[in-house]
Amino acid sequence: MAHGVPFVLIYLEPGDDEAHANRKLRSLWLKMHKEAFGHLCISLISVLADEARRAHFDAMGKIGEQASGIRYETAATQAEGEALAQRRIAQYGAA
């Protein structure tokens, strides 16, 4: 973010069991950096092999997207997530 370059953040198999302290720390960081993060982060992509977990993350992502304005997406494989990230970056550059 310090360089001001737009990016996509990819999470590989994020867990549902994140410790409360970690969630709180992440939330505080996001609140402190909300404006810069929101301007530079094109999309958050979670790579999840399990279809049911992807559906769950898609539903949660809709809530997060409404709250933050940042697109939340899922992919089944790392290659799919990276390809999606490249498309989002290309779309951003074309806008």
Side-chain angles (χ1 to χ4, degrees), residues 4-74:
V5 178
F7 62 92
V8 172
L9 187 59
I10 300 175
Y11 291 103
L12 300 177
E13 290 290 339
D16 291 325
D17 58 349
E18 182 180 14
H20 176 71
N22 289 347
R23 219 175 14 256
K24 183 176 179 180
L25 187 61
R26 184 169 43 87
S27 294
L28 288 172
W29 186 93
L30 286 170
K31 283 180 185 178
M32 288 175 52
H33 299 91
K34 182 178 181 175
E35 186 174 337
F37 190 74
H39 288 307
L40 295 174
C41 185
I42 299 166
S43 180
L44 297 171
I45 301 171
S46 295
V47 176
L48 300 153
D50 182 74
E51 188 174 346
R53 286 192 72 212
R54 280 196 310 278
H56 171 74
F57 272 68
D58 285 338
M60 296 301 291
K62 289 184 191 318
I63 295 167
E65 196 169 321
Q66 290 174 348
S68 69
I70 298 169
R71 182 191 304 232
Y72 283 75
E73 302 176 276
T74 60

Side-chain angles (χ1 to χ4, degrees), residues 10 12 47 75-87:
I10 300 175
L12 300 177
V47 176
T77 66
Q78 183 173 346
E80 185 181 306
E82 290 172 0
L84 178 57
Q86 290 301 319
R87 285 194 306 273

